[in-house]
Amino acid sequence: MKPVQHASSSAVIRCTRCLLPDTMPGLELDDDGLCRFCRAAPSVDEIRAERAALRAEMVATLESLRGATPYEVIVAYSGGKDSSYTLKVLVEDHGLKCLAITIDNGFLGAGTVANCKAVCGHLGVDHMMFTPNRQFTEALYRRSATDDGLHSAAAIKRASSICSSCIAMINTHMLQQALYMTIPVVAGGYIGGQVPRDGAVMTVRPGQQARIRSRMVNRFAGALGDDVRPYFELPTAPDDLREVVVVNPMLGLTITEAEIIAALEPMGWVRPQDTGITSTNCRLNDLGVFIHSKRHGFHPYAMEIAEQLRAGTMTIPEAEDKLARLPDRADVAGLAAQVGLSEDAY
């Protein structure tokens, strides 16, 4: 891996507690240098108690749904550290019958694929790989790189537009498969700051969800054509009685990145050397981070890093290092060419 480029942040003023930058839309710092999130945030002990309560709610929900065959849970499995740890928790701590599903978006590194095989093999978990057609994914990422209007205005605070589009496709596919296969639970590996706190346990009713998502689906179809609808639409039941419970176990845990990786290493998980400087599973993430940081003036990981700082699972020096790690144009030129972006588009 080439040396990491560190971005200059001399002009950015950050919250003294969570390092959110004043370049983030709507963020204001008070006279003590604190953002509104930190002013309202509970203490570290209170955050731990909140997470313990979320974990208890999730466990009770999973127990109530135990017994489905042949699988009780679909795990949206990227092969990265967080989804790998999620899979480990569900299998080893809760004894659930899981099906891991990975979306091959064309940018998985060889190390990611090896990690998927190692972890699933170690845990005795069945694993499926879904590969959307390349013409669709290239068009999706190309349009996402140039059009923030594909997503709500608030979305830029949590992820790059490229990543948000990929997440929308992945989440849809997991729900589709859960409905087709009558699997009651879908689990994600999202951590605090990537999704709201109420994302720990959610009940999804297909018809209701389809109505909620219609605006998003129409934006994608308007930008890319109606052929993309199957990647973002959900099947619905006329009486809307079918339900899928979505859980994100990491939202109920208080654990550091070092602890996660230490728990995964005995399973054969190895930090990939072929996924760039910002991800443990996807090569394309660097392009999204580069474009987002340049266009909006802040790192798309800022919210999740801030949440970890408030929870005490990351130190200020660790956070400063992550926020400073940015790919440069040379790093992402090849990725941009693969999705058909011209040089002046990024």
Side-chain angles (χ1 to χ4, degrees):
M1 183 184 297
K2 64 175 288 184
V4 172
Q5 289 291 117
H6 284 74
S8 172
S9 58
S10 58
V12 176
I13 301 174
R14 298 184 180 276
C15 174
T16 54
R17 180 181 177 188
C18 75
L19 301 186
L20 281 180
D22 62 354
T23 49
M24 181 169 284
L27 192 80
E28 294 182 359
L29 305 179
D30 65 16
D31 292 340
D32 295 322
L34 291 175
C35 69
R36 61 184 175 87
F37 300 108
C38 285
R39 289 196 299 273
S43 68
V44 170
D45 287 342
E46 290 170 330
I47 290 173
R48 289 174 181 267
E50 284 182 359
R51 293 190 178 187
L54 289 175
R55 179 175 172 82
E57 179 187 359
M58 185 202 70
V59 170
T61 300
L62 291 173
E63 286 300 323
S64 72
L65 297 169
R66 189 182 293 276
T69 56
Y71 307 108
E72 293 162 322
V73 184
I74 283 178
V75 178
Y77 186 44
S78 71
K81 58 181 175 56
D82 295 326
S83 65
S84 293
Y85 193 79
T86 296
L87 185 60
K88 169 183 163 61
V89 166
L90 292 172
V91 173
E92 292 189 341
D93 293 358
H94 302 296
L96 291 161
K97 297 173 289 186
C98 295
L99 171 64
I101 300 182
T102 302
I103 305 296
D104 180 4
N105 65 355
F107 293 91
L108 298 184
T112 300
V113 176
N115 281 337
C116 287
K117 292 180 178 179
V119 171
C120 290
H122 179 90
L123 294 173
V125 169
D126 291 344
H127 180 222
M128 290 174 57
M129 186 86 74
F130 172 63
T131 306
N133 83 75
R134 193 63 181 265
Q135 291 182 357
F136 159 68
T137 54
E138 288 179 357
L140 176 66
Y141 300 139
R142 184 166 58 248
R143 185 60 181 258
S144 300
T146 57
D147 183 5
D148 283 331
L150 283 178
H151 304 283
S152 68
I156 67 166
K157 297 180 182 181
R158 295 188 183 274
S160 72
S161 186
I162 287 177
C163 196
S164 291
S165 294
C166 200
I167 289 169
M169 173 183 63
I170 291 169
N171 289 345
T172 302
H173 186 75
M174 302 305 154
L175 288 170
Q176 288 172 340
Q177 293 307 307
L179 291 166
Y180 293 147
M181 302 171 73
T182 62
I183 299 172
V185 181
V186 169
Y190 298 114
I191 63 174
Q194 292 179 333
V195 292
R197 287 188 178 93
D198 60 6
V201 181
M202 300 176 290
T203 298
V204 174
R205 295 174 178 83
Q208 181 186 61
Q209 186 65 204
R211 291 188 291 273
I212 293 171
R213 294 159 57 98
S214 62
R215 187 173 298 177
M216 178 198 75
V217 174
N218 288 336
R219 283 199 300 266
F220 280 113
L224 298 164
D226 284 336
D227 287 347
V228 306
R229 287 185 179 275
Y231 295 99
F232 300 106
E233 290 183 331
L234 294 177
T236 60
D239 56 7
D240 204 19
L241 293 177
R242 297 160 68 192
E243 294 181 349
V244 176
V245 174
V246 177
V247 299
N248 285 292
M250 298 293 285
L251 298 182
L253 301 176
T254 304
I255 187 169
T256 67
E257 180 178 299
E259 290 170 334
I260 289 171
I261 292 174
L264 295 178
E265 286 175 345
M267 303 166 64
W269 191 94
V270 178
R271 183 183 287 275
Q273 299 299 305
D274 58 356
T275 56
I277 63 175
T278 60
S279 174
T280 58
N281 63 287
C282 179
R283 296 186 297 113
L284 190 62
N285 200 53
D286 275 4
L287 179 62
V289 169
F290 175 83
I291 292 173
H292 186 283
S293 300
K294 179 181 176 183
R295 183 176 300 159
H296 300 295
F298 64 93
H299 200 296
Y301 287 10
M303 285 287 277
E304 66 182 77
I305 289 171
E307 187 74 15
Q308 292 177 74
L309 283 169
R310 295 188 202 104
T313 56
M314 184 179 290
T315 66
I316 289 284
E318 289 170 338
E320 288 175 335
D321 182 66
K322 284 182 176 293
L323 290 169
R325 288 171 174 254
L326 289 173
D328 61 25
R329 181 174 287 273
D331 292 324
V332 302
L335 298 169
Q338 286 182 59
V339 299
L341 276 180
S342 61
E343 290 186 9
D344 60 355
Y346 66 98

